[in-house]
Amino acid sequence: MNTISPDRGGPLALFSQRLEGLAGAERQQAVAALQHAGLPTRRVEAWKYTALRVLGQTSLSAPAATYDAAAARAALDHVLAAQDGLADQPRLVFVNGRHAPDLSVAPKGVKVTFFADAPRFGNAASPDRDPLVALNTALAEDGANIQVEAGVDGGTLLLVSIGLGGQALTFSFHPRHAVVLEAGARLTLVCVQAGQGAYFHNPVTDIHVGAAAALEHVTLQLEGAEAVGLGTVYADVDREGVYDSFALGVDGLLLRHEVHARLGASRAAVHVNGVQRLGGAQVGDMTSVITHAAPDCISRQTVRNVLDGHARGVFQGKVLVEQIAQKTDGYQMNQALLLSPDAEIDAKPELEIYADDVRCSHGATVGALDDEQLFYLRSRGVPDAQARQILIEAFVDETLGLIAHEGAQALCRAMLARKGGAGESA
């Protein structure tokens, strides 16, 4: 029997009972990896800025099999009402980690199966490399397997996860999703992570973009006010394929969006962009590792953080260029706007280059609202709060403009406007 000692890996003891006696080689390997490494602490380089002690000391059980249908519908409507154009799109909805057919609208032209019916863990996301992936591998119960056949335009698909928690953090769910685009296929996937209350949401998404295929992947983190959302994405991109991703972090006590993208064949392209708008005591972490494993590939990353109150943002972006990856073109930039003297940004852009014919650059900037611009707006009758919001919107506007899908971009803008309307320190 697998056992986890209470002092091994700190927060890992919260899952000890659920990790005992799991069946299946993949799950057993994941438990072994967890027993060896534990969950990450701040001594682990990739987690030095983000602590998991917010998970508390109460064992985290699996969510109940039933849920409040009215609350789930209300949470879904709250999102869809912000952008009418997306309300009519097909969607796959999961509540507390399980597929909710009554809230879903089946897509056409896209093949969908479910992890609960035939568990499949994929190849890119390895539990040996990431303890959160190992935890997901051990405890995953459901998720969506999405496949777009060669040459097919799958249109737009919403993947919605709704967490319904209480006042205390007592349960966790670990969806396992897979997305496969065959050669020449196209898809816009809008992932919305929404909810209320306290819970731990730990999704893993395994993505393959085939030759000359294109996936636009937009993720909105709108978790419950006391929720912890730690999402991991592994994307492998084939020859001339494009993986274009964007993450918006708005709601949740602790958010982390981690992307591992590999350009595995020539003339592939990866974009990993994002915006965070955080306040209060929120912590938001955007971490990426972009690996150039083939020549003549392009990667772009632009992340902007707007932080108020005692909020803390984290940007860790690594571009790894292997020796074979000549003619690499990589760009990475993080810019933070601090609205409070108590807000903090930890930025660590990083280049690791083994090829000698490349064009790579990175950078980071930190600043505050421009007093002269505020004075200009106020001198023309614009109230102070509105003037500040105008400048904040101007700061993130260029990055939001990188979202090609008009409906997804409008939804992101609407959620940012709601955050601004609730007050900068909320």
Side-chain angles (χ1 to χ4, degrees):
M1 178 179 291
N2 297 313
T3 59
I4 305 294
S5 64
D7 59 349
R8 185 68 183 103
L12 185 57
L14 304 177
F15 306 94
S16 58
Q17 293 182 351
R18 295 170 67 184
L19 294 173
E20 293 180 358
L22 293 174
E26 294 94 342
R27 296 188 192 272
Q28 290 177 359
Q29 290 170 6
V31 173
L34 289 168
Q35 288 175 316
H36 174 73
L39 290 185
T41 68
R42 298 184 75 165
R43 295 179 181 177
V44 177
E45 181 65 24
W47 289 82
K48 67 181 294 184
Y49 303 113
T50 303
L52 296 182
R53 58 177 176 266
V54 69
L55 293 177
Q57 299 180 346
T58 303
S59 294
L60 298 179
S61 64
T66 60
Y67 59 85
D68 186 334
R73 170 60 69 178
L76 178 63
D77 290 344
H78 178 74
V79 174
L80 296 180
Q83 218 299 308
D84 292 337
L86 292 178
D88 297 329
Q89 298 295 336
R91 60 181 180 263
L92 303 174
V93 181
F94 292 77
V95 179
N96 290 346
R98 298 186 179 96
H99 180 227
D102 54 323
L103 298 176
S104 301
V105 178
K108 297 179 180 179
V110 176
K111 290 186 175 181
V112 177
T113 59
F114 295 96
F115 182 92
D117 299 326
R120 185 182 66 181
F121 292 99
N123 299 316
S126 170
D128 293 335
R129 290 185 289 181
D130 188 335
L132 271 299
V133 173
L135 185 65
N136 177 283
T137 301
L139 299 180
E141 293 185 343
D142 207 351
N145 301 317
I146 301 166
Q147 181 179 4
V148 186
E149 294 183 331
V152 173
D153 186 344
T156 302
L157 176 63
L158 274 66
L159 181 59
V160 183
S161 177
I162 297 173
L164 299 178
Q167 295 182 344
L169 184 59
T170 60
F171 70 86
S172 67
F173 50 98
H174 309 260
R176 190 63 169 246
H177 305 300
V179 182
V180 175
L181 270 63
E182 297 180 358
R186 304 183 66 86
L187 179 68
T188 296
L189 182 65
V190 181
C191 295
V192 180
Q193 300 165 1
Q196 61 186 34
Y199 52 84
F200 174 29
H201 180 202
N202 176 36
V204 170
T205 306
D206 196 342
I207 295 172
H208 174 73
V209 179
L215 174 63
E216 183 173 12
H217 183 200
V218 180
T219 301
L220 290 84
Q221 293 178 297
L222 312 170
E223 306 279 14
E226 302 299 321
V228 176
L230 309 177
T232 308
V233 177
Y234 278 85
D236 184 74
V237 187
D238 207 341
R239 182 183 180 88
E240 298 181 358
V242 177
Y243 175 62
D244 187 357
S245 77
F246 187 95
L248 175 69
V250 175
D251 294 322
L253 183 61
L254 170 61
L255 302 173
R256 181 176 170 111
H257 183 75
E258 181 172 345
V259 177
H260 296 258
R262 183 178 183 274
L263 299 103
S266 61
R267 295 196 292 278
V270 164
H271 307 149
V272 182
N273 304 310
V275 167
Q276 287 183 336
R277 177 72 163 93
L278 306 176
Q282 289 180 284
V283 176
D285 182 332
M286 288 193 173
T287 292
S288 64
V289 179
I290 302 174
T291 301
H292 287 256
D296 298 300
C297 293
I298 296 174
S299 67
R300 295 285 185 269
Q301 183 167 27
T302 301
V303 174
R304 295 193 176 182
N305 313 80
V306 180
L307 307 170
D308 198 11
H310 289 80
R312 185 162 60 85
V314 177
F315 170 78
Q316 299 182 107
K318 179 177 181 178
V319 177
L320 170 61
V321 183
E322 297 182 355
Q323 186 173 5
I324 194 176
Q326 305 294 336
K327 305 294 184 182
T328 285
D329 183 355
Y331 171 82
Q332 183 183 80
M333 175 60 72
N334 173 230
Q335 295 174 298
L337 182 63
L338 305 185
L339 304 179
S340 161
D342 298 315
E344 176 184 333
I345 180 71
D346 297 305
K348 191 181 74 171
E350 183 179 1
L351 298 176
E352 185 174 340
I353 302 172
Y354 297 97
D356 54 16
D357 184 7
V358 303
R359 183 173 65 181
C360 294
S361 62
H362 65 179
T365 66
V366 182
L369 290 176
D370 190 309
D371 288 337
E372 291 187 3
Q373 292 177 344
L374 276 173
F375 176 78
Y376 176 85
L377 291 171
R378 294 189 63 188
S379 68
R380 279 151 179 78
V382 180
D384 181 70
Q386 184 179 351
R388 292 168 64 86
Q389 186 61 23
I390 289 172
L391 296 180
I392 291 168
E393 291 175 358
F395 176 73
V396 301
D397 183 73
E398 182 180 357
T399 307
L400 289 171
L402 298 174
I403 306 173
H405 190 278
E406 292 183 1
Q409 184 183 137
L411 179 59
C412 288
R413 292 184 183 278
M415 292 303 167
L416 283 171
R418 286 181 179 178
K419 181 78 171 187
E424 291 172 357
S425 297

